[in-house]
Amino acid sequence: MIKNIIEFNKPFTSYNDKKYIDDVFKKNKFADGFYQKKCENFIKEKINSKFIALTQNCSSALEISMILINLKKNDEVIMPSYTFTSTANAVLLRGAKPVFADVNIYDVNLKYESVIKKINKRTKAIIVVHYAGNSCDMQKFLELKRKYNLFLIEDCAHSFMGKFKNRYLGTIGDFGSFSFHETKNLVGGQCGAISINNTSFIKKAKIILDKGTDRAFITNKKKYYSWKGIGSEFRSAELPAALLYSQLTKFNKIDKKRNLISNYYKKKFLPLEKKKFFLIKSDPKNKSANHIFALIFKNLKLRDKFINFMKTKKIFCYFHYFPLHLSSFGRKFNKSIMKNTNKINNGLVRLPLYPGLKRKEISRIVDEVKNFNLIKD
């Protein structure tokens, strides 16, 4: 019997998604339109943010955050090395220096103890990345923010609608950035959002979002807008916004399915831990966004062997980031030794996790992981 390929990821789409996109063509309004505002209001109310703007992507949201805090040359921003390049690029684009810190081995989130060692008089901000959709310990990082008078930015590319205790991720630090890339839980194609939780930044953010103008403040008395500062074309277009709005309306369905798959994996794989791999742990007091389900193998040889094994079974699994501090470009900024990050890099493998997975496919994935676990090293 020929088994079908199980893809690593498939965006969860339906007829309604196309319906909203068709409506954009009917309205003949492709920028700053109906769906952009619908998404912003939906997200703002849902997560209880003080301000939401839909952006072209999560990278844009991070870049806006760096402009808002007036990041400049000689400033430093601490972040995990185990993250996507956008986190560091947002800092470099302002002429500042990214400072890479280690992660916890058990949850792949920023390690508090590593961050403390790197704070100095040039440190202006900390960017936490909620890896896999699981919250960092925000209480600890809020304490650092207050103690050293730092800005705290949440990179929530994996964690839309995740929570730390009873607060939504992206609403705890000064700013939060979300991704709705086609690989994320909710799909907008290339789309993102910025959450601003410090109200003193909202007016400036509107100017930045409107390409440096005060267009957002036009009234009957003031019928023109003018250049007020730097800005760029950061806002999302209307077509991605229409797709995202459709996705937002079915969030509960998407979230429930991802949660079911993730819990099923945990149930089946926890008894297998320690022989060849272990699972990422999360605090049960927090709500996970269930963006990634990963196995962390003991070494690089086992990791690669597993990926190749699953590929022969027509199941596609992948490792993740190459640590920034080890990359040819990242070594220019930091040469620290990060034991946990290196272990994660050598061992982490992501399994398929998306609502379109069928029961038979999920069972097949579990069976093949078990089969691999039985193979002698």
Side-chain angles (χ1 to χ4, degrees), residues 58-66 86-87 90 127 153-155 177:
C58 187
S59 301
S60 295
L62 287 167
E63 290 167 24
I64 294 165
S65 300
M66 297 304 108
S86 293
T87 317
I127 302 178
I153 296 107
E154 296 176 76
D155 184 332
S177 59

Side-chain angles (χ1 to χ4, degrees), residues 17-36:
D17 296 325
K18 189 174 183 299
K19 181 181 75 174
Y20 287 112
I21 290 171
D22 288 341
D23 191 47
V24 174
F25 282 88
K26 289 178 183 177
K27 287 182 167 61
N28 204 30
K29 176 75 172 169
F30 295 94
D32 304 322
F34 175 80
Y35 287 104
Q36 181 199 96

Side-chain angles (χ1 to χ4, degrees), residues 347-371:
L348 189 144
V349 179
R350 296 171 293 158
L351 299 183
L353 174 59
Y354 51 92
L357 278 172
K358 298 173 184 175
R359 287 186 181 181
K360 287 183 179 179
E361 292 175 323
I362 299 167
S363 296
R364 203 173 117 205
I365 292 166
V366 169
D367 289 343
E368 296 301 352
V369 172
K370 288 180 177 179
N371 289 338

Side-chain angles (χ1 to χ4, degrees), residues 58 130 154-160 177-180 184 291 321:
C58 187
H130 303 298
E154 296 176 76
D155 184 332
C156 303
H158 296 180
S159 54
F160 179 68
S177 59
F178 301 107
S179 174
F180 304 111
K184 298 304 189 292
H291 177 56
Y321 311 123

Side-chain angles (χ1 to χ4, degrees), residues 118-367:
K118 295 177 184 293
I119 294 174
N120 59 51
K121 63 182 181 180
R122 294 182 298 276
T123 306
K124 191 157 189 177
I126 299 170
I127 302 178
V128 296
V129 178
H130 303 298
Y131 187 80
N134 301 320
S135 175
C136 295
D137 188 339
M138 292 304 291
Q139 190 60 48
K140 287 184 176 180
F141 290 109
L142 283 171
E143 288 170 6
L144 286 183
K145 167 184 164 57
R146 297 182 190 113
K147 182 177 180 179
Y148 295 101
N149 193 28
L150 303 173
F151 291 105
L152 183 59
I153 296 107
E154 296 176 76
D155 184 332
C156 303
H158 296 180
S159 54
F160 179 68
M161 295 296 285
K163 286 183 177 181
F164 174 72
K165 297 182 179 178
N166 64 343
R167 297 179 68 182
Y168 284 102
L169 302 181
T171 68
I172 303 168
D174 295 288
F175 312 101
S177 59
F178 301 107
S179 174
F180 304 111
H181 186 268
E182 71 161 16
T183 58
K184 298 304 189 292
N185 295 17
L186 299 187
V187 177
Q190 283 280 7
C191 193
I194 183 171
S195 171
I196 298 177
N197 312 306
N198 185 332
T199 54
S200 65
F201 288 106
I202 293 175
K203 182 177 180 179
K204 186 177 177 182
K206 289 179 178 179
I207 290 171
I208 293 167
L209 284 157
D210 280 321
K211 298 175 279 294
T213 74
D214 58 353
R215 186 177 62 165
F217 305 100
I218 292 176
T219 63
N220 288 331
K221 292 182 179 179
K222 179 180 171 62
K223 297 183 179 181
Y224 66 93
Y225 61 87
S226 60
W227 191 18
K228 295 295 181 181
I230 65 168
S232 190
E233 189 63 271
F234 287 122
R235 289 192 187 276
S236 169
E238 189 69 350
L239 286 170
L243 174 57
L244 177 60
Y245 181 71
S246 180
Q247 297 266 304
L248 287 167
T249 62
K250 56 189 177 189
F251 167 78
N252 289 338
K253 181 179 180 180
I254 294 171
D255 185 58
K256 183 179 179 181
K257 186 66 185 289
R258 297 186 77 99
N259 190 52
L260 285 170
I261 297 169
S262 185
N263 285 340
Y264 184 75
Y265 280 158
K266 285 176 190 174
K267 179 182 175 182
K268 296 298 181 181
F269 296 148
L270 276 171
L272 307 180
E273 272 195 312
K274 296 182 180 178
K275 183 179 179 182
K276 292 184 179 179
F277 62 79
F278 64 91
L279 307 182
I280 291 175
K281 304 300 187 294
S282 60
D283 189 333
K285 294 178 183 177
N286 303 328
K287 180 187 182 299
S288 175
N290 294 303
H291 177 56
I292 289 170
F293 192 94
L295 307 177
I296 302 175
F297 287 86
K298 290 183 177 180
N299 54 57
L300 181 61
K301 184 179 178 181
L302 264 178
R303 185 200 79 176
D304 290 347
K305 189 175 177 182
F306 173 76
I307 291 172
N308 290 328
F309 172 83
M310 295 297 274
K311 191 174 180 179
T312 65
K313 306 299 180 182
K314 297 188 176 181
I315 301 170
F316 288 87
C317 306
Y318 296 98
F319 56 88
H320 210 181
Y321 311 123
F322 186 75
L324 298 180
H325 80 285
L326 295 178
S327 66
S328 58
F329 192 59
R331 284 198 297 268
K332 297 177 182 179
F333 311 105
N334 284 148
K335 297 179 181 178
S336 303
I337 295 172
M338 300 181 198
K339 293 181 179 179
N340 291 348
T341 299
N342 293 346
K343 287 180 181 178
I344 295 297
N345 175 50
N346 289 334
L348 189 144
V349 179
R350 296 171 293 158
L351 299 183
L353 174 59
Y354 51 92
L357 278 172
K358 298 173 184 175
R359 287 186 181 181
K360 287 183 179 179
E361 292 175 323
I362 299 167
S363 296
R364 203 173 117 205
I365 292 166
V366 169
D367 289 343

Side-chain angles (χ1 to χ4, degrees), residues 99-116:
V99 175
F100 304 127
D102 207 356
V103 294
N104 301 314
I105 196 69
Y106 57 88
D107 67 358
V108 200
N109 277 330
L110 194 58
K111 187 176 180 180
Y112 172 79
E113 294 80 4
S114 181
V115 172
I116 290 176

